[in-house]
Structure formats: C-alpha cells, structure tokens
Amino acid sequence: MTISSSYRFPSLQIIPEGADRIRVYTANKNDNTLSTQYVEAMLGETETFKVEGEPLHTFAVVSDTHVVNDDNHDWTKKFKNMLKDVSENIGVEGVFINGDMVNTASGSSTTPDKASGEYDKLQSIKSEVCPDMPIYMAIGNHDLWPVGFNNTSLQTMEQMFCQNTMLPDGSHPSSFFYDFWIDNNHFVFVGDSGRDPNYLWLNETALNWLDTTIASGYVEGKNTFIFMHQSMPNTVAGSLTDFSQGEAVVENAYEIRQILKKYPDAM
C-alpha cells in the first residue's frame, strides 16, 4: 500500500541565503522525533533567497539561551559558541536576546541569588568573547521564575534585569518596558505586568505605554522592531491552541493586536 501526502509551502517561506534545496520530514506528534526519510525539492536559480544591495544595519536575534552558572553545562556552552559564531562570522552590530536569558528553576530552589549568578555568568562570557558587541534583552518567563518564591518580588527581578541590560549609550533601562533608536530604527521592548510569570499580560498602563511608544516617531517605511518573549496565540509552533500548545503565550493578545493594527510596518 502506498500512502501519499502533500505539503504547500507558505508564500513567505524563509529560505536561507545560499540554500539549494528544501527537505520535508514528518514528525511524530507525541515526541516530535523526525522521520529518517524525507522528500527533497531542489531550488532553481530564481527561487533562492538573495539580499539585494548592502544592508543598512545587521543584528542578530536569538531567544531562550537559558544560561546556567556552570561552564560545563550544555546550554552555557551553546551560548558561548553562539556569541563566537555571530561575532566572528556575521559581524553584527548587536545581539538581541528575546527573553529567557538565564534559566533559574521553578519551585523552592529558585532564589534571586541563583538568577544573579547566572546573569554574572552571561556577562563574563560576553566580556570574554565579544566585549565590544552590545547585547540587548527582553524579559522572559524564566528570568522571572524567582517571583513568588522565597518572598521574591517582581521589583527585585526587574532591578536585576535592568542592571544587566545596557542601552546603546551605555546607560541602563529603568524597567522591563523600554525603547531606543539607532538611526531610523526603533527598538521597543515589552515587559510584563506581573500577573503570572509564565504568561505575558499587560495592564492598562502597559498597553498605553506600548501604543504611545510605537507612535513616537512612527512613520511608515521606517523600521520598528518589537520584542516580547511570549508568542501571540496561533502564530508559531508552540502557540497553537488547537493542539493545546497555548502555554506561556500572550494573555491579552486581542488588546495588543488592536494596537499593532495601527502600525502596519512594525515587526
């Protein structure tokens, strides 16, 4: 018996520059293991992705580095290798970590001291590998996990986050919610109002801040980059509510989408 299936690539499928083929595997829904067999499609000259002209700016965006205060831990080693790869081979102007910079741990073992030690490890690796390349950060749920344990407050973790986050002028932000400009590029970092560390929820003050901050200097055609750790529901793998994947997503996504609709060029 022969079983056939079809797959249609989305119209905006991202293909890395230089790729000459695409392979499609099947995945087990229970444990996400991939099949050993695959279907291969060769790309013609007109189908490969090419950047036209020279880029105005180049920066890297990563997420979930989960740095642990242990040089031999796999996640810590991967973070170090990532910084080496980016700084040596790509030559970016900065690295943006979109949340979960450090790992901490849930439960009674979570303390601000543990998170602080992991931030220290992150900074020491940066100083060793790429001291002149800035790293910008958005808050993630793992970075907040000490909140609620051992009398740890949201303000304590916000202060720790701000102490470890630099702005382009060398200063520090004053909260999870901050923004800056590099030339005509507006970078906006969305924090959390603190209802549940695992979910991103914005109160009315935060929603108003997001609206007015994006609006400040907004012109269609300029670049506005918005960073938030949690995903909007039903946008990417891991946020699909039809498959009960809706953990750690944006809670009041409707209100945020109403704001973003006003700014079609914001990414």
Side-chain angles (χ1 to χ4, degrees):
M1 181 178 66
T2 302
I3 300 176
S4 64
S5 61
S6 62
Y7 178 82
R8 181 181 295 274
F9 286 102
S11 58
L12 296 178
Q13 176 73 40
I14 296 175
I15 302 172
E17 186 174 11
D20 61 2
R21 71 197 65 195
I22 295 176
R23 288 176 176 174
V24 178
Y25 295 80
T26 58
N28 187 310
K29 287 182 65 175
N30 295 322
D31 58 12
N32 291 321
T33 56
L34 294 180
S35 61
T36 57
Q37 295 181 318
Y38 54 84
V39 175
E40 185 172 81
M42 303 302 294
L43 298 173
E45 177 63 28
T46 60
E47 296 168 314
T48 57
F49 174 79
K50 294 182 179 179
V51 177
E52 298 296 333
E54 292 297 320
L56 299 176
H57 297 278
T58 305
F59 56 89
V61 181
V62 300
S63 182
D64 294 77
T65 51
H66 290 270
V67 171
V68 175
N69 191 12
D70 178 358
D71 287 323
N72 295 317
H73 196 286
D74 189 47
W75 296 340
T76 304
K77 290 190 289 187
K78 285 181 177 179
F79 174 73
K80 186 174 183 178
N81 290 336
M82 178 275 294
L83 289 184
K84 285 183 177 180
D85 186 27
V86 168
S87 60
E88 294 174 3
N89 299 314
I90 303 178
V92 300
E93 299 168 52
V95 173
F96 292 73
I97 306 179
N98 201 27
D100 283 4
M101 286 74 66
V102 297
N103 187 59
T104 67
S106 60
S108 59
S109 64
T110 302
T111 64
D113 287 343
K114 183 170 185 178
S116 179
E118 292 172 344
Y119 273 117
D120 289 344
K121 177 58 66 177
L122 183 153
Q123 296 294 354
S124 69
I125 293 173
K126 178 201 177 302
S127 297
E128 174 189 350
V129 175
C130 52
D132 299 323
M133 186 173 67
I135 293 179
Y136 307 110
M137 305 178 187
I139 196 69
N141 58 306
H142 274 250
D143 312 310
L144 288 178
W145 266 358
V147 174
F149 296 100
N150 300 301
N151 297 316
T152 305
S153 67
L154 185 71
Q155 290 70 31
T156 296
M157 300 315 298
E158 185 172 55
Q159 183 179 19
M160 187 181 301
F161 168 82
C162 292
Q163 289 173 344
N164 284 277
T165 303
M166 298 287 286
L167 300 175
D169 63 2
S171 64
H172 300 272
S174 58
S175 78
F176 295 138
F177 299 85
Y178 70 101
D179 72 304
F180 57 78
W181 288 78
I182 298 178
D183 293 339
N184 286 327
N185 303 297
H186 193 190
F187 300 92
V188 180
F189 297 79
V190 179
D192 190 284
S193 299
R195 179 148 64 185
D196 184 332
N198 279 319
Y199 297 86
L200 188 142
W201 171 73
L202 303 185
N203 59 24
E204 185 174 352
T205 300
L207 289 169
N208 290 334
W209 176 90
L210 179 63
D211 194 359
T212 57
T213 299
I214 300 176
S216 175
Y218 179 83
V219 177
E220 288 193 30
K222 289 186 178 181
N223 297 318
T224 303
F225 302 98
I226 303 170
F227 296 88
M228 61 175 70
H229 176 67
Q230 284 86 345
S231 303
M232 292 286 201
N234 296 312
T235 55
V236 297
S239 70
L240 307 179
T241 54
D242 288 349
F243 297 96
S244 300
Q245 294 179 339
E247 304 92 354
V249 295
V250 177
E251 280 198 285
N252 48 348
Y254 174 80
E255 291 86 348
I256 294 175
R257 282 192 169 106
Q258 295 305 109
I259 293 172
L260 297 181
K261 283 180 179 179
K262 297 191 287 184
Y263 310 104
D265 284 349
M267 289 173 273

mmCIF file with all atom_site columns, all heavy atoms in Angstrom, residues 14-19 45-59 90:
data_model
loop_
_atom_site.group_PDB
_atom_site.id
_atom_site.type_symbol
_atom_site.label_atom_id
_atom_site.label_alt_id
_atom_site.label_comp_id
_atom_site.label_asym_id
_atom_site.label_entity_id
_atom_site.label_seq_id
_atom_site.pdbx_PDB_ins_code
_atom_site.Cartn_x
_atom_site.Cartn_y
_atom_site.Cartn_z
_atom_site.occupancy
_atom_site.B_iso_or_equiv
_atom_site.pdbx_formal_charge
_atom_site.auth_seq_id
_atom_site.auth_comp_id
_atom_site.auth_asym_id
_atom_site.auth_atom_id
_atom_site.pdbx_PDB_model_num
ATOM 1   N N   . ILE A 1 14 ? 10.743 31.363 4.531   1.00 0.00 ? 14 ILE A N   1
ATOM 2   C CA  . ILE A 1 14 ? 12.102 31.900 4.600   1.00 0.00 ? 14 ILE A CA  1
ATOM 3   C C   . ILE A 1 14 ? 13.087 30.809 4.195   1.00 0.00 ? 14 ILE A C   1
ATOM 4   O O   . ILE A 1 14 ? 13.094 29.723 4.767   1.00 0.00 ? 14 ILE A O   1
ATOM 5   C CB  . ILE A 1 14 ? 12.425 32.417 6.014   1.00 0.00 ? 14 ILE A CB  1
ATOM 6   C CG1 . ILE A 1 14 ? 11.513 33.600 6.346   1.00 0.00 ? 14 ILE A CG1 1
ATOM 7   C CG2 . ILE A 1 14 ? 13.882 32.827 6.111   1.00 0.00 ? 14 ILE A CG2 1
ATOM 8   C CD1 . ILE A 1 14 ? 11.669 34.108 7.754   1.00 0.00 ? 14 ILE A CD1 1
ATOM 9   N N   . ILE A 1 15 ? 13.915 31.114 3.223   1.00 0.00 ? 15 ILE A N   1
ATOM 10  C CA  . ILE A 1 15 ? 14.933 30.182 2.745   1.00 0.00 ? 15 ILE A CA  1
ATOM 11  C C   . ILE A 1 15 ? 16.290 30.828 2.967   1.00 0.00 ? 15 ILE A C   1
ATOM 12  O O   . ILE A 1 15 ? 16.546 31.930 2.474   1.00 0.00 ? 15 ILE A O   1
ATOM 13  C CB  . ILE A 1 15 ? 14.733 29.860 1.252   1.00 0.00 ? 15 ILE A CB  1
ATOM 14  C CG1 . ILE A 1 15 ? 13.333 29.264 1.019   1.00 0.00 ? 15 ILE A CG1 1
ATOM 15  C CG2 . ILE A 1 15 ? 15.811 28.911 0.747   1.00 0.00 ? 15 ILE A CG2 1
ATOM 16  C CD1 . ILE A 1 15 ? 12.986 29.095 -0.440  1.00 0.00 ? 15 ILE A CD1 1
ATOM 17  N N   . PRO A 1 16 ? 17.188 30.212 3.715   1.00 0.00 ? 16 PRO A N   1
ATOM 18  C CA  . PRO A 1 16 ? 18.499 30.817 3.981   1.00 0.00 ? 16 PRO A CA  1
ATOM 19  C C   . PRO A 1 16 ? 19.261 31.101 2.695   1.00 0.00 ? 16 PRO A C   1
ATOM 20  O O   . PRO A 1 16 ? 19.183 30.340 1.720   1.00 0.00 ? 16 PRO A O   1
ATOM 21  C CB  . PRO A 1 16 ? 19.208 29.758 4.833   1.00 0.00 ? 16 PRO A CB  1
ATOM 22  C CG  . PRO A 1 16 ? 18.114 28.942 5.421   1.00 0.00 ? 16 PRO A CG  1
ATOM 23  C CD  . PRO A 1 16 ? 17.017 28.928 4.400   1.00 0.00 ? 16 PRO A CD  1
ATOM 24  N N   . GLU A 1 17 ? 19.998 32.190 2.699   1.00 0.00 ? 17 GLU A N   1
ATOM 25  C CA  . GLU A 1 17 ? 20.798 32.556 1.533   1.00 0.00 ? 17 GLU A CA  1
ATOM 26  C C   . GLU A 1 17 ? 21.811 31.447 1.234   1.00 0.00 ? 17 GLU A C   1
ATOM 27  O O   . GLU A 1 17 ? 22.480 30.948 2.132   1.00 0.00 ? 17 GLU A O   1
ATOM 28  C CB  . GLU A 1 17 ? 21.522 33.879 1.787   1.00 0.00 ? 17 GLU A CB  1
ATOM 29  C CG  . GLU A 1 17 ? 22.263 34.404 0.567   1.00 0.00 ? 17 GLU A CG  1
ATOM 30  C CD  . GLU A 1 17 ? 22.854 35.777 0.814   1.00 0.00 ? 17 GLU A CD  1
ATOM 31  O OE1 . GLU A 1 17 ? 22.859 36.217 1.983   1.00 0.00 ? 17 GLU A OE1 1
ATOM 32  O OE2 . GLU A 1 17 ? 23.304 36.398 -0.156  1.00 0.00 ? 17 GLU A OE2 1
ATOM 33  N N   . GLY A 1 18 ? 21.899 31.052 -0.014  1.00 0.00 ? 18 GLY A N   1
ATOM 34  C CA  . GLY A 1 18 ? 22.836 30.016 -0.420  1.00 0.00 ? 18 GLY A CA  1
ATOM 35  C C   . GLY A 1 18 ? 22.255 28.618 -0.437  1.00 0.00 ? 18 GLY A C   1
ATOM 36  O O   . GLY A 1 18 ? 22.892 27.690 -0.935  1.00 0.00 ? 18 GLY A O   1
ATOM 37  N N   . ALA A 1 19 ? 21.050 28.440 0.112   1.00 0.00 ? 19 ALA A N   1
ATOM 38  C CA  . ALA A 1 19 ? 20.443 27.105 0.116   1.00 0.00 ? 19 ALA A CA  1
ATOM 39  C C   . ALA A 1 19 ? 20.089 26.692 -1.306  1.00 0.00 ? 19 ALA A C   1
ATOM 40  O O   . ALA A 1 19 ? 19.660 27.515 -2.122  1.00 0.00 ? 19 ALA A O   1
ATOM 41  C CB  . ALA A 1 19 ? 19.187 27.097 0.984   1.00 0.00 ? 19 ALA A CB  1
ATOM 42  N N   . GLU A 1 45 ? 17.555 28.690 -9.737  1.00 0.00 ? 45 GLU A N   1
ATOM 43  C CA  . GLU A 1 45 ? 18.293 29.938 -9.528  1.00 0.00 ? 45 GLU A CA  1
ATOM 44  C C   . GLU A 1 45 ? 17.382 31.066 -9.080  1.00 0.00 ? 45 GLU A C   1
ATOM 45  O O   . GLU A 1 45 ? 17.748 31.893 -8.255  1.00 0.00 ? 45 GLU A O   1
ATOM 46  C CB  . GLU A 1 45 ? 19.008 30.328 -10.826 1.00 0.00 ? 45 GLU A CB  1
ATOM 47  C CG  . GLU A 1 45 ? 19.752 31.650 -10.768 1.00 0.00 ? 45 GLU A CG  1
ATOM 48  C CD  . GLU A 1 45 ? 20.892 31.653 -9.766  1.00 0.00 ? 45 GLU A CD  1
ATOM 49  O OE1 . GLU A 1 45 ? 21.451 30.557 -9.504  1.00 0.00 ? 45 GLU A OE1 1
ATOM 50  O OE2 . GLU A 1 45 ? 21.237 32.732 -9.250  1.00 0.00 ? 45 GLU A OE2 1
ATOM 51  N N   . THR A 1 46 ? 16.158 31.096 -9.609  1.00 0.00 ? 46 THR A N   1
ATOM 52  C CA  . THR A 1 46 ? 15.254 32.200 -9.278  1.00 0.00 ? 46 THR A CA  1
ATOM 53  C C   . THR A 1 46 ? 14.553 32.000 -7.937  1.00 0.00 ? 46 THR A C   1
ATOM 54  O O   . THR A 1 46 ? 13.872 32.906 -7.458  1.00 0.00 ? 46 THR A O   1
ATOM 55  C CB  . THR A 1 46 ? 14.177 32.349 -10.370 1.00 0.00 ? 46 THR A CB  1
ATOM 56  O OG1 . THR A 1 46 ? 13.428 31.123 -10.468 1.00 0.00 ? 46 THR A OG1 1
ATOM 57  C CG2 . THR A 1 46 ? 14.822 32.657 -11.710 1.00 0.00 ? 46 THR A CG2 1
ATOM 58  N N   . GLU A 1 47 ? 14.706 30.827 -7.316  1.00 0.00 ? 47 GLU A N   1
ATOM 59  C CA  . GLU A 1 47 ? 13.984 30.532 -6.076  1.00 0.00 ? 47 GLU A CA  1
ATOM 60  C C   . GLU A 1 47 ? 14.834 30.733 -4.828  1.00 0.00 ? 47 GLU A C   1
ATOM 61  O O   . GLU A 1 47 ? 14.329 30.709 -3.719  1.00 0.00 ? 47 GLU A O   1
ATOM 62  C CB  . GLU A 1 47 ? 13.472 29.085 -6.112  1.00 0.00 ? 47 GLU A CB  1
ATOM 63  C CG  . GLU A 1 47 ? 12.451 28.841 -7.219  1.00 0.00 ? 47 GLU A CG  1
ATOM 64  C CD  . GLU A 1 47 ? 12.193 27.361 -7.421  1.00 0.00 ? 47 GLU A CD  1
ATOM 65  O OE1 . GLU A 1 47 ? 13.175 26.596 -7.470  1.00 0.00 ? 47 GLU A OE1 1
ATOM 66  O OE2 . GLU A 1 47 ? 11.023 26.972 -7.504  1.00 0.00 ? 47 GLU A OE2 1
ATOM 67  N N   . THR A 1 48 ? 16.127 30.900 -4.995  1.00 0.00 ? 48 THR A N   1
ATOM 68  C CA  . THR A 1 48 ? 16.991 31.059 -3.833  1.00 0.00 ? 48 THR A CA  1
ATOM 69  C C   . THR A 1 48 ? 16.879 32.478 -3.298  1.00 0.00 ? 48 THR A C   1
ATOM 70  O O   . THR A 1 48 ? 16.674 33.439 -4.048  1.00 0.00 ? 48 THR A O   1
ATOM 71  C CB  . THR A 1 48 ? 18.456 30.754 -4.181  1.00 0.00 ? 48 THR A CB  1
ATOM 72  O OG1 . THR A 1 48 ? 18.866 31.603 -5.256  1.00 0.00 ? 48 THR A OG1 1
ATOM 73  C CG2 . THR A 1 48 ? 18.619 29.301 -4.588  1.00 0.00 ? 48 THR A CG2 1
ATOM 74  N N   . PHE A 1 49 ? 17.028 32.590 -2.001  1.00 0.00 ? 49 PHE A N   1
ATOM 75  C CA  . PHE A 1 49 ? 16.897 33.885 -1.338  1.00 0.00 ? 49 PHE A CA  1
ATOM 76  C C   . PHE A 1 49 ? 18.181 34.690 -1.501  1.00 0.00 ? 49 PHE A C   1
ATOM 77  O O   . PHE A 1 49 ? 19.269 34.207 -1.211  1.00 0.00 ? 49 PHE A O   1
ATOM 78  C CB  . PHE A 1 49 ? 16.604 33.681 0.150   1.00 0.00 ? 49 PHE A CB  1
ATOM 79  C CG  . PHE A 1 49 ? 16.607 34.960 0.940   1.00 0.00 ? 49 PHE A CG  1
ATOM 80  C CD1 . PHE A 1 49 ? 15.512 35.807 0.905   1.00 0.00 ? 49 PHE A CD1 1
ATOM 81  C CD2 . PHE A 1 49 ? 17.704 35.320 1.694   1.00 0.00 ? 49 PHE A CD2 1
ATOM 82  C CE1 . PHE A 1 49 ? 15.514 36.985 1.620   1.00 0.00 ? 49 PHE A CE1 1
ATOM 83  C CE2 . PHE A 1 49 ? 17.709 36.501 2.421   1.00 0.00 ? 49 PHE A CE2 1
ATOM 84  C CZ  . PHE A 1 49 ? 16.613 37.337 2.379   1.00 0.00 ? 49 PHE A CZ  1
ATOM 85  N N   . LYS A 1 50 ? 18.055 35.920 -1.954  1.00 0.00 ? 50 LYS A N   1
ATOM 86  C CA  . LYS A 1 50 ? 19.214 36.792 -2.104  1.00 0.00 ? 50 LYS A CA  1
ATOM 87  C C   . LYS A 1 50 ? 18.856 38.180 -1.591  1.00 0.00 ? 50 LYS A C   1
ATOM 88  O O   . LYS A 1 50 ? 17.776 38.699 -1.855  1.00 0.00 ? 50 LYS A O   1
ATOM 89  C CB  . LYS A 1 50 ? 19.646 36.878 -3.572  1.00 0.00 ? 50 LYS A CB  1
ATOM 90  C CG  . LYS A 1 50 ? 20.183 35.574 -4.142  1.00 0.00 ? 50 LYS A CG  1
ATOM 91  C CD  . LYS A 1 50 ? 20.638 35.744 -5.588  1.00 0.00 ? 50 LYS A CD  1
ATOM 92  C CE  . LYS A 1 50 ? 21.198 34.428 -6.124  1.00 0.00 ? 50 LYS A CE  1
ATOM 93  N NZ  . LYS A 1 50 ? 21.631 34.555 -7.545  1.00 0.00 ? 50 LYS A NZ  1
ATOM 94  N N   . VAL A 1 51 ? 19.783 38.757 -0.866  1.00 0.00 ? 51 VAL A N   1
ATOM 95  C CA  . VAL A 1 51 ? 19.595 40.111 -0.369  1.00 0.00 ? 51 VAL A CA  1
ATOM 96  C C   . VAL A 1 51 ? 20.053 41.088 -1.443  1.00 0.00 ? 51 VAL A C   1
ATOM 97  O O   . VAL A 1 51 ? 21.181 40.991 -1.931  1.00 0.00 ? 51 VAL A O   1
ATOM 98  C CB  . VAL A 1 51 ? 20.386 40.343 0.934   1.00 0.00 ? 51 VAL A CB  1
ATOM 99  C CG1 . VAL A 1 51 ? 20.245 41.781 1.395   1.00 0.00 ? 51 VAL A CG1 1
ATOM 100 C CG2 . VAL A 1 51 ? 19.907 39.391 2.020   1.00 0.00 ? 51 VAL A CG2 1
ATOM 101 N N   . GLU A 1 52 ? 19.182 42.006 -1.820  1.00 0.00 ? 52 GLU A N   1
ATOM 102 C CA  . GLU A 1 52 ? 19.535 42.997 -2.832  1.00 0.00 ? 52 GLU A CA  1
ATOM 103 C C   . GLU A 1 52 ? 20.224 44.179 -2.167  1.00 0.00 ? 52 GLU A C   1
ATOM 104 O O   . GLU A 1 52 ? 19.706 44.777 -1.231  1.00 0.00 ? 52 GLU A O   1
ATOM 105 C CB  . GLU A 1 52 ? 18.276 43.469 -3.565  1.00 0.00 ? 52 GLU A CB  1
ATOM 106 C CG  . GLU A 1 52 ? 17.541 42.376 -4.334  1.00 0.00 ? 52 GLU A CG  1
ATOM 107 C CD  . GLU A 1 52 ? 18.377 41.808 -5.473  1.00 0.00 ? 52 GLU A CD  1
ATOM 108 O OE1 . GLU A 1 52 ? 19.249 42.538 -5.983  1.00 0.00 ? 52 GLU A OE1 1
ATOM 109 O OE2 . GLU A 1 52 ? 18.148 40.639 -5.849  1.00 0.00 ? 52 GLU A OE2 1
ATOM 110 N N   . GLY A 1 53 ? 21.415 44.511 -2.638  1.00 0.00 ? 53 GLY A N   1
ATOM 111 C CA  . GLY A 1 53 ? 22.137 45.648 -2.106  1.00 0.00 ? 53 GLY A CA  1
ATOM 112 C C   . GLY A 1 53 ? 22.786 45.346 -0.764  1.00 0.00 ? 53 GLY A C   1
ATOM 113 O O   . GLY A 1 53 ? 22.726 44.233 -0.246  1.00 0.00 ? 53 GLY A O   1
ATOM 114 N N   . GLU A 1 54 ? 23.412 46.370 -0.198  1.00 0.00 ? 54 GLU A N   1
ATOM 115 C CA  . GLU A 1 54 ? 24.079 46.225 1.087   1.00 0.00 ? 54 GLU A CA  1
ATOM 116 C C   . GLU A 1 54 ? 23.100 46.558 2.214   1.00 0.00 ? 54 GLU A C   1
ATOM 117 O O   . GLU A 1 54 ? 22.357 47.539 2.130   1.00 0.00 ? 54 GLU A O   1
ATOM 118 C CB  . GLU A 1 54 ? 25.291 47.152 1.159   1.00 0.00 ? 54 GLU A CB  1
ATOM 119 C CG  . GLU A 1 54 ? 26.418 46.773 0.216   1.00 0.00 ? 54 GLU A CG  1
ATOM 120 C CD  . GLU A 1 54 ? 26.999 45.415 0.553   1.00 0.00 ? 54 GLU A CD  1
ATOM 121 O OE1 . GLU A 1 54 ? 27.149 45.114 1.752   1.00 0.00 ? 54 GLU A OE1 1
ATOM 122 O OE2 . GLU A 1 54 ? 27.299 44.649 -0.385  1.00 0.00 ? 54 GLU A OE2 1
ATOM 123 N N   . PRO A 1 55 ? 23.084 45.759 3.279   1.00 0.00 ? 55 PRO A N   1
ATOM 124 C CA  . PRO A 1 55 ? 22.180 46.066 4.399   1.00 0.00 ? 55 PRO A CA  1
ATOM 125 C C   . PRO A 1 55 ? 22.601 47.347 5.115   1.00 0.00 ? 55 PRO A C   1
ATOM 126 O O   . PRO A 1 55 ? 23.799 47.646 5.219   1.00 0.00 ? 55 PRO A O   1
ATOM 127 C CB  . PRO A 1 55 ? 22.336 44.846 5.321   1.00 0.00 ? 55 PRO A CB  1
ATOM 128 C CG  . PRO A 1 55 ? 23.690 44.283 4.990   1.00 0.00 ? 55 PRO A CG  1
ATOM 129 C CD  . PRO A 1 55 ? 23.881 44.535 3.524   1.00 0.00 ? 55 PRO A CD  1
ATOM 130 N N   . LEU A 1 56 ? 21.619 48.103 5.570   1.00 0.00 ? 56 LEU A N   1
ATOM 131 C CA  . LEU A 1 56 ? 21.908 49.322 6.326   1.00 0.00 ? 56 LEU A CA  1
ATOM 132 C C   . LEU A 1 56 ? 22.433 48.982 7.712   1.00 0.00 ? 56 LEU A C   1
ATOM 133 O O   . LEU A 1 56 ? 23.315 49.671 8.240   1.00 0.00 ? 56 LEU A O   1
ATOM 134 C CB  . LEU A 1 56 ? 20.639 50.175 6.433   1.00 0.00 ? 56 LEU A CB  1
ATOM 135 C CG  . LEU A 1 56 ? 20.040 50.645 5.113   1.00 0.00 ? 56 LEU A CG  1
ATOM 136 C CD1 . LEU A 1 56 ? 18.739 51.404 5.365   1.00 0.00 ? 56 LEU A CD1 1
ATOM 137 C CD2 . LEU A 1 56 ? 21.023 51.521 4.348   1.00 0.00 ? 56 LEU A CD2 1
ATOM 138 N N   . HIS A 1 57 ? 21.867 47.957 8.313   1.00 0.00 ? 57 HIS A N   1
ATOM 139 C CA  . HIS A 1 57 ? 22.287 47.501 9.640   1.00 0.00 ? 57 HIS A CA  1
ATOM 140 C C   . HIS A 1 57 ? 22.157 45.990 9.684   1.00 0.00 ? 57 HIS A C   1
ATOM 141 O O   . HIS A 1 57 ? 21.320 45.406 8.990   1.00 0.00 ? 57 HIS A O   1
ATOM 142 C CB  . HIS A 1 57 ? 21.432 48.127 10.749  1.00 0.00 ? 57 HIS A CB  1
ATOM 143 C CG  . HIS A 1 57 ? 21.530 49.615 10.836  1.00 0.00 ? 57 HIS A CG  1
ATOM 144 N ND1 . HIS A 1 57 ? 22.555 50.252 11.496  1.00 0.00 ? 57 HIS A ND1 1
ATOM 145 C CD2 . HIS A 1 57 ? 20.756 50.603 10.320  1.00 0.00 ? 57 HIS A CD2 1
ATOM 146 C CE1 . HIS A 1 57 ? 22.387 51.558 11.401  1.00 0.00 ? 57 HIS A CE1 1
ATOM 147 N NE2 . HIS A 1 57 ? 21.305 51.790 10.689  1.00 0.00 ? 57 HIS A NE2 1
ATOM 148 N N   . THR A 1 58 ? 22.954 45.363 10.516  1.00 0.00 ? 58 THR A N   1
ATOM 149 C CA  . THR A 1 58 ? 22.869 43.916 10.692  1.00 0.00 ? 58 THR A CA  1
ATOM 150 C C   . THR A 1 58 ? 22.904 43.608 12.180  1.00 0.00 ? 58 THR A C   1
ATOM 151 O O   . THR A 1 58 ? 23.826 44.028 12.882  1.00 0.00 ? 58 THR A O   1
ATOM 152 C CB  . THR A 1 58 ? 24.047 43.192 9.998   1.00 0.00 ? 58 THR A CB  1
ATOM 153 O OG1 . THR A 1 58 ? 24.095 43.581 8.625   1.00 0.00 ? 58 THR A OG1 1
ATOM 154 C CG2 . THR A 1 58 ? 23.874 41.680 10.087  1.00 0.00 ? 58 THR A CG2 1
ATOM 155 N N   . PHE A 1 59 ? 21.884 42.915 12.661  1.00 0.00 ? 59 PHE A N   1
ATOM 156 C CA  . PHE A 1 59 ? 21.883 42.487 14.054  1.00 0.00 ? 59 PHE A CA  1
ATOM 157 C C   . PHE A 1 59 ? 21.292 41.092 14.135  1.00 0.00 ? 59 PHE A C   1
ATOM 158 O O   . PHE A 1 59 ? 20.590 40.637 13.237  1.00 0.00 ? 59 PHE A O   1
ATOM 159 C CB  . PHE A 1 59 ? 21.118 43.465 14.957  1.00 0.00 ? 59 PHE A CB  1
ATOM 160 C CG  . PHE A 1 59 ? 19.692 43.717 14.546  1.00 0.00 ? 59 PHE A CG  1
ATOM 161 C CD1 . PHE A 1 59 ? 18.671 42.909 15.014  1.00 0.00 ? 59 PHE A CD1 1
ATOM 162 C CD2 . PHE A 1 59 ? 19.369 44.778 13.705  1.00 0.00 ? 59 PHE A CD2 1
ATOM 163 C CE1 . PHE A 1 59 ? 17.360 43.139 14.644  1.00 0.00 ? 59 PHE A CE1 1
ATOM 164 C CE2 . PHE A 1 59 ? 18.048 45.015 13.329  1.00 0.00 ? 59 PHE A CE2 1
ATOM 165 C CZ  . PHE A 1 59 ? 17.044 44.193 13.809  1.00 0.00 ? 59 PHE A CZ  1
ATOM 166 N N   . ILE A 1 90 ? 29.505 36.743 11.283  1.00 0.00 ? 90 ILE A N   1
ATOM 167 C CA  . ILE A 1 90 ? 28.431 37.576 10.757  1.00 0.00 ? 90 ILE A CA  1
ATOM 168 C C   . ILE A 1 90 ? 28.760 39.059 10.899  1.00 0.00 ? 90 ILE A C   1
ATOM 169 O O   . ILE A 1 90 ? 28.435 39.860 10.041  1.00 0.00 ? 90 ILE A O   1
ATOM 170 C CB  . ILE A 1 90 ? 27.092 37.249 11.456  1.00 0.00 ? 90 ILE A CB  1
ATOM 171 C CG1 . ILE A 1 90 ? 26.758 35.759 11.305  1.00 0.00 ? 90 ILE A CG1 1
ATOM 172 C CG2 . ILE A 1 90 ? 25.965 38.090 10.879  1.00 0.00 ? 90 ILE A CG2 1
ATOM 173 C CD1 . ILE A 1 90 ? 25.501 35.335 12.000  1.00 0.00 ? 90 ILE A CD1 1
#
